[in-house]
Amino acid sequence: MSRTLSRITLGLLLAPALLAASIAQAHQAGDIIVRAGAITVDPREDSGAVEAGGAALAGTGATLDSDTQLGLNFAYMLTDKLGVELLAATPFSHDVGVTGVINKLGSIKHLPPTLSLVYYPMDSGAAFQPYVGAGINYTWFFDEDLGSAAEGAGFDGFSLENSWGLAAQLGADYMLDDRWMVNAQVRYIDIDTTGKTSLNGAPVRVDVDVDPWVYMVGLGYKF
Ligand code: NI
């Protein structure tokens, strides 16, 4: 083949590949990305001893189980590589126990909105977009309910203090086309709270570092 012809042939061969690459165009300044998926909050609670009437009870501590809900991310790209992101979710519900005292003290709900600055190191043309982020979390506890067994045992009233803390995350988007993506992410959120109740009229309190790992997998769409 002549040199000209081979260049044309090469061009024709490369064209579909270049087209495919441009279809997977990811994350540019001004993009709005919405992600939705299953999100699990897995507390790795580190609890102080329960204090009743001012005295610490040796061997006691609060426990929390994990919960999975619908997670949402709303992200806005400030530049091709830097975005802001809000984490939202349907309310999480956890059972609360007290080691050595009562298996199920009650249950709580919470919402942990988190606002993060997120950095995407890859070029905007890459289909695979890993990212790191750091931000601020506010966790709002509500619907604190004592269990019937706890009420029967003489507990009365139950509350958890809301928490401000830092959050860090790792995640990745994989672009399926120029709008849809699959996403996986993990975060660590610093959530510290104090639980309060009373037992036979004596005030009971416990400091708990909830500090959960938060996992989410789902789909995203870029506007
Ligand atoms: Ni903490």
Side-chain angles (χ1 to χ4, degrees):
M1 275 189 288
S2 74
R3 182 164 292 187
T4 307
L5 194 57
S6 65
R7 276 194 191 146
I8 291 170
T9 309
L10 187 65
L12 288 173
L13 287 173
L14 283 179
L18 293 173
L19 210 60
S22 68
I23 284 171
Q25 196 70 244
H27 303 4
Q28 289 174 301
D31 284 351
I32 293 170
I33 303 165
V34 176
R35 305 187 192 94
I39 186 168
T40 298
V41 168
D42 186 12
R44 48 167 291 280
E45 68 275 14
D46 181 11
S47 173
V50 173
E51 293 171 28
L57 304 175
T60 59
T63 61
L64 292 156
D65 67 354
S66 69
D67 190 34
T68 299
Q69 291 291 332
L70 171 68
L72 296 169
N73 294 168
F74 303 98
Y76 177 75
M77 298 302 293
L78 302 167
T79 73
D80 288 358
K81 298 199 171 191
L82 205 60
V84 288
E85 184 202 283
L86 177 68
L87 167 68
T90 48
F92 294 94
S93 177
H94 302 275
D95 283 348
V96 180
V98 181
T99 311
V101 177
I102 189 162
N103 204 28
K104 182 179 171 183
L105 179 68
S107 60
I108 55 109
K109 288 184 181 169
H110 74 91
L111 282 172
T114 303
L115 189 65
S116 301
L117 202 57
V118 180
Y119 175 69
Y120 300 77
M122 302 293 279
D123 287 334
S124 66
F128 181 62
Q129 293 283 337
Y131 57 86
V132 293
I136 296 201
N137 165 264
Y138 179 73
T139 296
W140 174 45
F141 293 100
F142 61 99
D143 270 7
E144 297 104 324
D145 278 323
L146 280 177
S148 50
E151 283 179 338
F155 285 96
D156 185 33
F158 182 34
S159 69
L160 287 181
E161 277 174 12
N162 298 335
S163 166
W164 285 98
L166 297 178
Q169 65 162 325
L170 280 174
D173 292 320
Y174 184 80
M175 301 305 296
L176 300 172
D177 58 25
D178 63 347
R179 299 241 172 243
W180 288 96
M181 68 200 81
V182 287
N183 172 266
Q185 56 184 275
V186 57
R187 353 180 152 227
Y188 177 79
I189 306 181
D190 186 21
I191 303 174
D192 301 334
T193 185
T194 299
K196 290 178 182 164
T197 180
S198 70
L199 178 57
N200 301 323
V204 174
R205 56 170 283 156
V206 60
D207 294 325
V208 188
D209 293 351
V210 181
D211 299 350
W213 287 100
V214 178
Y215 311 95
M216 180 170 147
V217 288
L219 285 175
Y221 187 83
K222 193 170 72 172
F223 293 89

